[in-house]
Amino acid sequence: MSNNTQTQDVKESAKDIVWDLKDLFTSLDDPKIPDAIRDSEKKASEFVTKYKQKLDTLNGAEINQAYQELEEIWAPLYKVSQFVSLESTLDTSDDKIKAMVDFVDEVESRVANMTLFFGLEISAFSEDHLTSILQEETTENYQYSLKRYVETARFNLSEKEEQLSNLKDLTGESAFKKLYGELTSSYQFEIEVDGVERTMNGSELRALRYHKDPKVRRKAMKLFYKQYEDDSLVITQIYNSILKSNTVERDLRGYKSDISVRNIQNDIDDEVIDVLHDTTRDAAPLVSRYYKIKAKLLDLPDFSLADIYAPMEESPKKYTWDEAKDLVLQGFAHFDDEFYSYAKLMFDENRIHAPIMPKKRGGAFCSSSTPDINPYVMVNFLGKPRDVSTLAHELGHAIHDIYCSKQTLFNYHPILPLAETASVFSEMLVTDLLLSTQTDKAVKKQILTEKLEDIFATSHRQNMFSNFERETHEKIGKNRLSTQELCTIYQEQLKLMFQDSVVYPDEYKWEWSAIPHIFEAPFYVYAYNFGNLLVIALYQQYKEEGPSFVPKLKAMLSEGSSCSPREITELAGIDISKPDFWKKSFVYIEGLVTQLESLI
């Protein structure tokens, strides 16, 4: 059978795997949609009349009732929003669906503005009043939410100051972020690829990092960073302005440091994030060891930063949909019967959409709205080994959501720093199964290299970006940073991560200026590293403890966002402030590197 025939057969195997959305609505014209919207807006109006400027007079039972009424306002909107979003996924060009998405966004914005007072009034509670309310059993379900409102209130400014800050921001930090986005998205590049002269945007040009020809990869990245170098005067000014704005606001609000702003939003102690940064940086020899292996596999003695995403020889191995389904379910069954049954439910209830379609959105995701509706999963199935892992990953999200379904709406969705726990864990279960049952060395090499590069991109690379941010945010407090200083700091971080495993082209000193997150959402990137290494360390703990670990993981997954990340992780008997916990992740990663070495 030819590769083209096999690929077509694999595509055909998934063509009938489509979701059934009847638990939400029957169609965009379902009369229940406008009914749900009217009901939510009516209840929101009544909520304002009943509770605005009165929350500080309520006892615990009445506060509990207010929370429940607020959940009743939002639940129908969440379902409408989810349905419209899922419909949009299958046809990203349909004008009717686009209009409906915009309309639902507007409704949600109106309701959010109407009910905004709720959090503001609770955040103004005195500690004595909060303590008395928390002592009442009736508030048990919403205690974490109540405490978070009050704990973060100390960083609020007065109402007038907040209004002024928001207005000034339109021409300040937000304006600089917008300028950066508009400037860099306007870039166009002329490059010859495979004998054809082409015009590309930045994303298309960066995609050439995956081209099979090293000359194309290196030429593309040199061209890409040259544009950022040409605009370095503007970009340096933008970055300095954002840094200074963060520092000024930090001081006004009383945060300990710039990164503390993000840590408090994530409800994670500064010390925990310091440990995360340090232990990841100290594990850089694993990164170096892997890329030396890749250089050998590619037979590239001058292996450079432009080659780190170079494609390996792809195995012809393809899986049909049924084969992928069986593998994933087998991986879950080896771990736990309940994991298996929850994943099987997703297949049995037609909650997955798998075929490639012309107007369908790319990528993959899991979507959930309310605890009473089981989630939905979208993938674009091509039958590659990576597609099997992706299916396991998204089903892991679904399993997480099902465990969280015992929570009420505001505690239902997994807390952000732990949102990838079940998904990455599930992916690792299936990856290990694939590796243990696969005899084809080419397939095993493909699985291992893809997995290791995913890990290093999600963990060590994001840690490098975050360390760059830590140093630049600290230094801006003293002086404006020159372009050369920024480039030097970034080059130092690159060398700390890759060590002697790569050649460092000079143009890569400009890479800092092409990382949108450090401009648009300072210190957001460490969350990728936190989530990824947390799960890898948990998986290593599972390998060490065996079946006794399973109930601990289930306990974690069941908490949703009902308590802090630290409290949730303690259910697994771990202390995320200790380096020894994070080091478990590197034991597992080293095992993957060792497996790859054995195949050479």
Side-chain angles (χ1 to χ4, degrees), residues 225-282:
Y225 291 126
K226 181 64 169 64
Q227 183 64 67
Y228 286 83
E229 179 183 5
D230 290 346
D231 285 334
S232 61
L233 179 67
V234 176
I235 294 175
T236 298
Q237 179 61 46
I238 290 172
Y239 190 57
N240 271 280
S241 297
I242 291 171
L243 291 180
K244 200 64 182 176
S245 176
N246 274 255
T247 301
V248 169
E249 186 155 349
R250 174 201 74 196
D251 292 341
L252 280 173
R253 294 183 181 277
Y255 290 102
K256 181 180 174 184
S257 65
D258 286 7
I259 196 173
S260 294
V261 180
R262 181 68 62 183
N263 294 347
I264 287 167
Q265 289 173 356
N266 290 335
D267 197 12
I268 301 175
D269 296 337
D270 289 354
E271 293 74 17
V272 170
I273 300 306
D274 287 343
V275 168
L276 173 70
H277 278 106
D278 294 345
T279 52
T280 307
R281 182 198 60 223
D282 292 345

Side-chain angles (χ1 to χ4, degrees), residues 81-96:
S81 181
Q82 181 187 27
F83 179 77
V84 173
S85 175
L86 293 176
E87 287 286 292
S88 174
T89 294
L90 303 186
D91 190 344
T92 58
S93 64
D94 187 288
D95 288 335
K96 180 180 178 180

Side-chain angles (χ1 to χ4, degrees), residues 6-7 10-11 13-14 314-321 323-324 354 356 380-388 446:
Q6 185 185 23
T7 299
V10 166
K11 285 184 178 180
S13 73
E314 188 170 303
S315 162
K317 174 65 179 176
K318 293 285 192 295
Y319 297 89
T320 65
W321 176 258
E323 288 171 337
I356 306 286
N380 283 280
F381 187 75
L382 286 169
K384 297 179 181 180
R386 180 182 285 274
D387 292 330
V388 180
Q446 184 178 341

Side-chain angles (χ1 to χ4, degrees), residues 9-276:
D9 287 346
V10 166
K11 285 184 178 180
E12 285 291 310
S13 73
K15 69 181 177 65
D16 295 324
I17 309 303
V18 296
W19 51 38
D20 181 352
L21 304 181
K22 69 175 182 295
D23 282 355
L24 293 167
F25 300 97
T26 57
S27 71
L28 289 174
D29 298 317
D30 191 330
K32 291 181 180 178
I33 292 178
D35 288 347
I37 290 172
R38 279 193 296 269
D39 184 52
S40 289
E41 291 194 293
K42 179 175 179 289
K43 286 181 177 178
S45 180
E46 293 169 349
F47 186 83
V48 173
T49 302
K50 184 175 181 180
Y51 291 112
K52 191 170 185 180
Q53 296 182 342
K54 301 171 187 173
L55 290 179
D56 61 351
T57 68
L58 305 184
N59 60 32
E62 292 165 328
I63 290 289
N64 181 70
Q65 178 64 27
Y67 263 106
Q68 290 177 344
E69 290 178 25
L70 197 57
E71 288 181 326
E72 290 171 6
I73 291 168
W74 280 106
L77 287 183
Y78 283 3
K79 291 176 183 177
V80 171
S81 181
Q82 181 187 27
F83 179 77
V84 173
S85 175
L86 293 176
E87 287 286 292
S88 174
T89 294
L90 303 186
D91 190 344
T92 58
S93 64
D94 187 288
D95 288 335
K96 180 180 178 180
I97 299 176
K98 287 180 182 179
M100 191 65 175
V101 169
D102 290 342
F103 174 66
V104 173
D105 286 345
E106 290 170 8
V107 173
E108 289 184 321
S109 180
R110 287 200 299 271
V111 172
N113 283 335
M114 291 170 72
T115 58
L116 181 64
F117 75 91
F118 185 78
L120 294 175
E121 288 190 27
I122 289 178
S123 67
F125 284 2
S126 68
E127 284 199 24
D128 288 344
H129 187 43
L130 176 66
T131 300
S132 67
I133 289 174
L134 293 178
Q135 287 173 346
E136 298 184 41
E137 290 184 8
T138 51
T139 61
E140 182 179 1
N141 186 56
Y142 303 106
Q143 286 198 359
Y144 181 58
S145 173
L146 285 163
K147 286 188 284 188
R148 286 292 290 159
Y149 275 131
V150 176
E151 284 171 357
T152 57
R154 70 182 187 275
F155 302 110
N156 295 339
L157 304 177
S158 70
E159 184 176 1
K160 285 293 182 185
E161 288 172 327
E162 292 286 5
Q163 291 172 343
L164 179 61
S165 175
N166 289 336
L167 289 171
K168 292 284 286 181
D169 204 27
L170 294 174
T171 54
E173 185 175 343
S174 292
F176 281 113
K177 291 177 180 179
K178 185 177 181 181
L179 174 60
Y180 175 82
E182 290 180 350
L183 174 67
T184 55
S185 63
S186 71
Y187 291 161
Q188 295 287 308
F189 305 89
E190 303 291 334
I191 186 171
E192 183 180 315
V193 182
D194 301 330
V196 179
E197 192 70 32
R198 297 179 59 186
T199 300
M200 295 184 169
N201 62 27
S203 296
E204 291 170 322
L205 189 69
R206 291 180 80 243
L208 293 178
R209 294 176 300 169
Y210 300 92
H211 196 279
K212 61 184 179 181
D213 187 345
K215 292 179 181 178
V216 173
R217 295 194 296 267
R218 297 170 188 185
K219 179 181 178 182
M221 296 318 295
K222 191 176 186 68
L223 181 62
F224 180 72
Y225 291 126
K226 181 64 169 64
Q227 183 64 67
Y228 286 83
E229 179 183 5
D230 290 346
D231 285 334
S232 61
L233 179 67
V234 176
I235 294 175
T236 298
Q237 179 61 46
I238 290 172
Y239 190 57
N240 271 280
S241 297
I242 291 171
L243 291 180
K244 200 64 182 176
S245 176
N246 274 255
T247 301
V248 169
E249 186 155 349
R250 174 201 74 196
D251 292 341
L252 280 173
R253 294 183 181 277
Y255 290 102
K256 181 180 174 184
S257 65
D258 286 7
I259 196 173
S260 294
V261 180
R262 181 68 62 183
N263 294 347
I264 287 167
Q265 289 173 356
N266 290 335
D267 197 12
I268 301 175
D269 296 337
D270 289 354
E271 293 74 17
V272 170
I273 300 306
D274 287 343
V275 168
L276 173 70

